[in-house]
Amino acid sequence: MAYYFEEPSHTFGEYLLVPGYSSAECTPDRVSLKTPVVKFNKKAGETCPLTMNIPMVSAVMQAVSDDKLAIALAKEGGISFIFGSQTIENQAAMVARVKAYKAGFVTSDSNIRPDQTLEEVVELSAKTGHSTVAVTEDGSPNGKLLGIITSKDFRIGHCPAGSKVKDYMTGLEDLATGKEGIDLSEANDIIWEKKVNQLPIVDKNGNLVSLVFRKDYSTHAEHPNELLDSKQRYIVGAGINTRDYMERVPKLLEAGADVFVLDSSEGFSEWQARALKDLHAAFPGIKVGAGNVVDAEGFNFLADAGADFVKIGIGGGSICITREQKGIGRGQATATIEVAKARDEYFKKTGIYVPVCSDGGIVHDYHVTLALAMGADFVMLGRYFARFDESPSNKLVINGNYVKEYWGEGSNRARNWQRYDLGGKKGMAFEEGVDSYVPYAGHLHDGVGMTLSKVVHTMCNCGALSIPELQEKAKITLVSPVTIQEGSAHDVTVRNTTSVQN
Ligand code: IMP
């Protein structure tokens, strides 16, 4: 006989947090949002080998997670999972670009030879928009550095036509340079000490490696949470599937991917167990999350199969039509609560803590806090990140408003049918996602900053200075539809509003 769950399933919008006591020490600036990403033996006193500084990851989607978004999110302290519905080469190239990006160290895109003319310097600056031009022996970005020429070094019209760069540049003898391998704060110390606006970094043979600009220092200082690996490179994840993982993963590892996730709409399957087993055998130490599941049975299956974290959620995504198409799924809050409970029981039984991620269905900022309070270690968001400048999708004007495009991996546009197939013979593919617009929301840094400001304030209202403390102390109540209505402005005519609702 079929099994019936006793309670109806619920989603985040049906719950509220009831405040607890906040002491004077419980202030938003003291809250830590640090959270584990992969499993570890907590009982044996191990520390988690991969943690994030904020509990947010971006969805494995074409419209969301490319290298640009990955860099922006790593700067804030979270991780992007670069979408896998592209060729192995393209995905590896995106990962490699994230790993090659060095905050504050810029590859020079304006370079010239010493025998070229000042007119050519002007032309180049107009093209690149940069007034600092590196002079290298062969005019390449990594050629032997001979000097720097900027718009301050000459006045066109006052110099004879055809004047050569070498006669106006600041040559090596008068130039401050930094050695390859120095860190950003050392580079900035030199910039301040020598009173220069930029510092060329050179290797041991005198070849140009990169430039550090005075103006970028403040940008770096704005990101105290940035997530770096042991070589000071940004941490990045990658989505994989249960079909070509043995070809895809080695290329992604070579490119520098730090963590993987099996991206599937339904993860309680032999295909995922096989992939986890093969990957852990072939690449010892690899970190692979799995999912998605929506109950304790699904969690236990993937945890036993070796998942490094487990992702929760079926049918709750904003672009998702899985529930309509197939009639499978569960309210995201109920799924999160049950799976988090299973995670705690698994820990009690085995000593292993397997982090869980609530994926999809986050509409308002407070849903992030609720998901964490309900037991999620972190949340995965698609729609939320698609709205920012840094997402790969187009920004358009529709009816006078700025929007960004956002489409599901199971839509005809993405055609990521592998995410939905069951590994055997390919059936008839049908759509499980839509193609849509979402309101444009500016820079990721500002959006994430605002969201997390709300999260930490609410955590203080609950008397919690960390995510585990929130999970321990949270008092959560289901609310009636009328209570939900009462939660928005009501019985008034709103004149204007400056706050943007997420
Ligand atoms: P959102 O944050 O509510 O937009 O949900 C994003 C999540 O929806 C992703 O992380 C996926 O788990 C899921 N998803 C992505 N594409 C599709 C689709 O086409 N159909 C169903 N679910 C999808």
Side-chain angles (χ1 to χ4, degrees):
M1 195 186 134
Y3 176 78
Y4 288 88
F5 289 87
E6 275 172 19
E7 296 289 328
S9 72
H10 297 284
T11 195
F12 298 126
E14 296 172 76
Y15 288 92
L16 287 173
L17 283 151
V18 175
Y21 169 71
S22 343
S23 71
E25 276 71 50
C26 199
T27 53
D29 55 307
R30 291 202 178 101
V31 174
S32 160
L33 291 173
K34 196 169 163 160
T35 196
V37 180
V38 296
K39 71 177 176 194
F40 61 109
N41 194 331
K42 198 170 165 183
K43 206 175 239 163
E46 275 180 11
T47 52
C48 179
L50 179 61
T51 56
M52 286 188 293
N53 295 327
I54 64 169
M56 295 167 102
V57 301
S58 71
V60 193
M61 296 174 75
Q62 294 174 5
V64 181
S65 298
D66 69 349
D67 46 312
K68 198 165 158 206
L69 193 111
I71 291 168
L73 182 52
K75 281 185 183 170
E76 302 306 318
I79 297 180
S80 280
F81 286 89
I82 305 274
F83 66 94
S85 51
Q86 59 177 326
T87 63
I88 298 175
E89 290 66 34
N90 287 349
Q91 191 185 15
M94 283 189 181
V95 169
R97 283 201 290 275
V98 179
K99 297 312 277 188
Y101 183 90
K102 285 206 95 188
F105 292 83
V106 191
T107 303
S108 172
D109 65 356
S110 306
N111 308 286
I112 206 152
R113 290 189 319 272
D115 58 331
Q116 288 184 263
T117 63
L118 298 183
E119 287 80 358
E120 286 175 288
V121 174
V122 174
E123 223 173 89
L124 184 63
S125 293
K127 206 164 90 192
T128 60
H130 295 143
S131 58
T132 299
V133 175
V135 186
T136 57
E137 207 165 66
D138 60 359
S140 75
N142 299 115
K144 197 168 178 51
L145 182 72
L146 301 176
I148 291 281
I149 186 158
T150 76
S151 50
K152 288 191 194 126
D153 293 322
F154 60 90
R155 277 169 84 195
I156 278 288
H158 289 73
C159 308
S163 296
K164 299 281 190 240
V165 167
K166 61 177 178 218
D167 298 322
Y168 290 84
M169 70 184 189
T170 306
L172 266 189
E173 56 291 352
D174 300 315
L175 205 62
T177 57
K179 287 203 180 78
E180 185 178 24
I182 66 169
D183 68 28
L184 193 58
S185 65
E186 289 172 303
N188 279 295
D189 287 346
I190 303 176
I191 286 176
W192 285 90
E193 213 173 277
K194 305 275 181 191
K195 298 189 174 57
V196 290
N197 287 324
Q198 70 281 315
L199 185 74
I201 307 296
V202 289
D203 68 13
K204 58 180 184 323
N205 300 316
N207 295 321
L208 179 63
V209 177
S210 56
L211 293 168
V212 177
F213 290 93
R214 176 187 284 261
K215 66 179 170 46
D216 284 348
Y217 181 65
S218 55
T219 323
H220 180 65
E222 272 170 30
H223 300 111
N225 281 331
E226 61 184 1
L227 200 60
L228 301 169
D229 66 14
S230 56
K231 295 183 186 149
Q232 301 293 302
R233 303 172 307 176
Y234 284 131
I235 302 258
V236 63
I240 53 175
N241 61 69
T242 53
R243 282 182 177 266
D244 66 8
Y245 54 89
M246 289 310 270
E247 292 104 81
R248 193 172 285 271
V249 166
K251 292 278 188 305
L252 294 170
L253 280 171
E254 205 179 299
D258 297 278
V259 56
F260 299 87
V261 68
L262 284 162
D263 175 40
S264 169
S265 70
E266 203 279 291
F268 190 176
S269 74
E270 187 175 343
W271 306 106
Q272 293 230 346
R274 279 193 204 174
L276 288 167
K277 185 162 167 251
D278 294 345
L279 287 168
H280 282 119
F283 310 103
I286 192 173
K287 308 292 177 213
V288 191
N292 285 7
V293 297
V294 286
D295 68 359
E297 204 182 346
F299 170 87
N300 288 325
F301 173 80
L302 290 178
D304 284 342
D308 286 284
F309 66 89
V310 171
K311 211 142 64 67
I312 310 160
I314 297 177
S318 56
I319 31 50
C320 178
I321 52 170
T322 295
R323 292 187 195 164
E324 280 166 24
Q325 293 282 62
K326 298 203 296 201
I328 60 164
R330 202 172 189 197
Q332 189 63 20
T334 304
T336 301
I337 294 165
E338 183 175 323
V339 173
K341 206 164 145 224
R343 183 249 350 252
D344 292 343
E345 277 159 18
Y346 192 86
F347 166 60
K348 266 191 219 137
K349 210 168 65 196
T350 63
I352 312 287
Y353 188 89
V354 183
V356 296
C357 165
S358 182
D359 171 19
I362 299 282
V363 181
H364 296 288
D365 290 325
Y366 80 87
H367 291 175
V368 175
T369 326
L370 268 175
L372 298 172
M374 287 170 176
D377 294 281
F378 54 100
V379 293
M380 177 174 267
L381 308 102
R383 186 196 63 88
Y384 176 89
F385 285 117
R387 301 169 308 142
F388 296 129
D389 279 318
E390 293 82 353
S391 83
S393 74
N394 293 320
K395 181 174 158 193
L396 308 169
V397 180
I398 303 280
N399 299 330
N401 297 313
Y402 282 118
V403 295
K404 294 266 293 186
E405 296 176 313
Y406 179 45
W407 61 97
E409 285 295 292
S411 67
N412 252 329
R413 181 161 178 186
R415 306 186 77 77
N416 182 3
W417 308 133
Q418 283 184 357
R419 190 170 190 273
Y420 303 90
D421 84 37
L422 292 169
K425 267 199 183 145
K426 283 201 177 136
M428 276 169 56
F430 51 89
E431 285 191 287
E432 292 197 31
V434 298
D435 190 355
S436 69
Y437 301 122
V438 287
Y440 165 69
H443 291 310
L444 182 145
H445 173 69
D446 301 329
V448 168
M450 177 56 79
T451 299
L452 294 179
S453 167
K454 294 182 199 171
V455 170
V456 295
H457 277 80
T458 310
M459 285 172 68
C460 286
N461 294 144
C462 297
L465 285 171
S466 68
I467 294 170
E469 201 177 353
L470 174 69
Q471 291 166 351
E472 181 86 29
K473 291 186 168 170
K475 296 185 281 181
I476 302 171
T477 178
L478 254 179
V479 289
S480 70
V482 186
T483 313
I484 296 171
Q485 212 180 326
E486 187 187 53
S488 318
H490 60 91
D491 302 306
V492 293
T493 305
V494 177
R495 289 170 65 190
N496 60 23
T497 172
T498 48
S499 77
V500 178
Q501 295 299 313
N502 292 323

